[in-house]
Amino acid sequence: MNNSEIKILIDKINAYDRIILFRHVRPDPDALGSQLGFKYALQKYFPNKAFYAVGSMTDNLSFIGEMDEVEDETFKGALAIVLDTANAPRIDDERYQLCSEMIKIDHHPPVDQYGILNIVNTDSSSTSEMIYEILLNIGFNTIEINTAIARCLYIGIVGDTGRFLFNNTSNRTMEIAADLLNYDINHTEMINQMSERDLKSIRFQGYVLQNFTFENGVGFIFISNEDLIKNEISSQEASLFVNTMADVKGIKAWAFAVQEEKEIRVRLRSKGTVINELASKYNGGGHPLASGASVYSLEELQTLKHELIQLVN
Amino acid sequence: MNNSEIKILIDKINAYDRIILFRHVRPDPDALGSQLGFKYALQKYFPNKAFYAVGSMTDNLSFIGEMDEVEDETFKGALAIVLDTANAPRIDDERYQLCSEMIKIDHHPPVDQYGILNIVNTDSSSTSEMIYEILLNIGFNTIEINTAIARCLYIGIVGDTGRFLFNNTSNRTMEIAADLLNYDINHTEMINQMSERDLKSIRFQGYVLQNFTFENGVGFIFISNEDLIKNEISSQEASLFVNTMADVKGIKAWAFAVQEEKEIRVRLRSKGTVINELASKYNGGGHPLASGASVYSLEELQTLKHELIQLVN
């Protein structure tokens, strides 16, 4: 971001009485943390304006804060600020279309540039990290950031860096986290709340660890309809366990296959070998080390698995 | 630590030609990181002296660095610097007794004050964090710290803070981590190496997740001799999985019981209720939220479990 972008952002906020903050559907900690952290900060900075945070909440993240209930009328003529959302169809609450103007703030590679202003920094670990930098830039100093703001931004950074694990964690990310820990936030408790899972999910994790196969550096599991029923879990919930086998010593890549309604959805992950070309071959695609594919029979799934083994060896 | 302690430390190093660095048995990342990080730094600072790092290595941590093979003769008349070790009996390599003088550097509450100088800071997240502060204090600046030193100290801090999770992670801890990330260390790869586990351990983790019981907020599992054999795991290896059930929603405390030769060793953990008095009642003790006990029959184990349930409810 640069100073002229920040200036436009402030000018736009100044021009409206109502500002509605959006983020993407199925929110993660960074979406919620950047949305609520920015809302709390703007409320302090512009005490005479009305700020709203909208979208549906995910149960296990409700500790981060609350969404506002907003009537259709309120959207009309308001400014929309959309956080952490690469493309307009993923904005939670379609009523963004009623707003007068939109501003995007995001760290994902842009899909749509849907805003009249698009503040995008793909080098930033998270949108929460960007919000911290924006607050410094618009004249907040560390005294003006309060605990409520700090905890939102901290949880967002923790979420998108895998708790300072992924290589998007820069020296600057850690400096910001260090500063946020100056506030009275119980980071241990927050992070524990984030990693809490219900008993059913914990049991399913155990099921995956007991049942995946491991052959020539490749991990593999297929979760059939029957397995889903037996574990009382949906295919969508099951897919969250794709990284369960990531810590096996010597693992080079893995395929996590789940029966869906009309297809077998195969999530492919790799620790080094590029696998998105293989994914493309099987009706999919994605990032070099994290892709998705679809197959339509157990035979095709076996072929995909063997190609993956050949690819990484 | 204070300036006079650092002065004595430097004076003592100046007074010796050979300095041997020790740490505790069964080393963890902080023991190894502080030992090797300090060794590398001292070698830069005192190029005309000989520094050795001794002790037995743990297989899965060998990526941190190598220990030196040292003859008995070398210990005689040398200065011993012992890192991260609260009491003398836990020092790895008993030949510390051959050294002329000992200095302790540690962040644990002291058990023995075995050194002629004991630099102890229980507010520090880790001994590696202390070493960073000592290096700054003795005149290293961030230009003089190099990648080899930085990666050792980083991995030590990550180890003892549970990767910035535990509440020993202070604002200062994060500032130091931020500075260490200025060096060209592949922190993602290092941390992944730390969390790597062999297939047998991964399967055992699955076994625990599938088989623990959960009753009134209390998790419980008993690993019998038969279970150990079936899972091809030792009682010591099994005990490393004590925190496997920590993320279950609603868990208040748990007991992880493993059959040992003459007793059943019960590791007790709590998220809030103090449990070390219960541990004392059953031939054990420890910290308020992390204790150990010993029982001698399955009946006694059941009684302990029910007392734990009563205690936390």
Side-chain angles (χ1 to χ4, degrees), chain A residues 1 9 20-39 54 58 61 64 67 80-92 102-115 117-132 134 152-153 155-161 168:
Chain A
M1 75 202 73
L9 173 68
I20 306 184
L21 293 102
F22 299 77
R23 39 71 191 168
H24 61 76
V25 293
R26 291 200 266 160
D28 53 22
D30 187 35
L32 293 169
S34 61
Q35 180 191 33
L36 287 168
F38 202 33
K39 179 190 155 185
V54 298
T58 303
L61 296 177
I64 299 177
M67 294 293 109
I81 299 180
V82 185
L83 289 313
D84 200 44
T85 310
N87 52 339
R90 293 196 70 227
I91 300 174
D92 196 350
M102 292 171 79
I103 291 172
K104 175 204 226 188
I105 302 175
D106 190 22
H107 73 120
H108 295 99
V111 180
D112 293 352
Q113 289 290 48
Y114 50 76
L117 168 68
N118 299 283
I119 304 179
V120 173
N121 180 5
T122 56
D123 289 334
S124 193
S125 71
S126 51
T127 303
S128 296
E129 180 175 329
M130 290 180 67
I131 295 297
Y132 178 95
I134 289 171
C152 286
L153 301 183
I155 206 77
I157 292 172
V158 165
D160 263 27
T161 60
N168 62 356

Side-chain angles (χ1 to χ4, degrees), chain B residues 64-101:
Chain B
I64 299 177
E66 282 182 13
M67 295 293 110
D68 299 305
E69 301 242 346
V70 180
E71 301 290 318
D72 289 4
E73 277 308 309
T74 310
F75 288 85
K76 290 177 189 162
L79 173 68
I81 299 179
V82 184
L83 290 312
D84 200 45
T85 311
N87 52 340
R90 292 195 72 227
I91 300 174
D92 197 348
D93 205 325
E94 292 185 353
R95 291 178 292 174
Y96 71 84
Q97 297 173 31
L98 301 175
C99 293
S100 292
E101 292 187 297

Side-chain angles (χ1 to χ4, degrees), chain A residues 59-60 154 162-172 174-175 177-182 186-189 191-192 195-199 202-214 231 244-245 247-250 271, chain B residues 59-60 154 162-172 174-175 177-182 186-189 191-192 195-199 202-214 231 244-245 247-250 271:
Chain A
D59 272 358
N60 67 329
Y154 197 85
R163 199 172 82 239
F164 313 111
L165 170 61
F166 308 143
N167 57 17
N168 62 356
T169 310
S170 69
N171 155 264
R172 181 64 184 150
M174 293 299 267
E175 278 177 0
D179 181 43
L180 295 173
L181 279 191
N182 281 317
N186 189 336
H187 65 103
T188 306
E189 187 181 272
I191 296 168
N192 282 337
S195 48
E196 238 180 43
R197 278 163 308 152
D198 61 17
L199 190 58
I202 293 270
R203 296 288 191 218
F204 180 68
Q205 186 191 355
Y207 177 84
V208 173
L209 292 173
Q210 287 260 297
N211 290 286
F212 73 92
T213 61
F214 187 59
N231 287 286
T244 300
M245 57 184 106
D247 287 340
V248 184
K249 192 168 186 163
K271 292 213 164 170
Chain B
D59 272 358
N60 68 328
Y154 197 85
R163 201 172 80 237
F164 312 111
L165 169 61
F166 308 143
N167 58 18
N168 61 358
T169 311
S170 69
N171 155 264
R172 181 63 184 150
M174 293 300 267
E175 279 176 1
D179 181 43
L180 294 173
L181 279 191
N182 280 318
N186 189 336
H187 66 102
T188 306
E189 188 180 271
I191 296 168
N192 282 336
S195 48
E196 236 181 46
R197 278 163 307 152
D198 61 17
L199 190 58
I202 293 269
R203 298 287 191 217
F204 181 68
Q205 185 191 358
Y207 176 84
V208 172
L209 292 174
Q210 287 260 297
N211 290 285
F212 73 92
T213 60
F214 188 60
N231 286 286
T244 301
M245 56 183 107
D247 288 341
V248 184
K249 194 169 185 163
K271 293 215 164 169

Side-chain angles (χ1 to χ4, degrees), chain B residues 222-226 228 235 257-265 298:
Chain B
F222 169 55
I223 312 291
S224 67
N225 254 329
E226 203 176 43
L228 290 171
S235 56
V258 180
Q259 181 72 57
E260 309 235 339
E261 212 165 314
K262 291 177 182 157
E263 58 184 337
I264 298 169
R265 183 94 185 122
L298 290 177

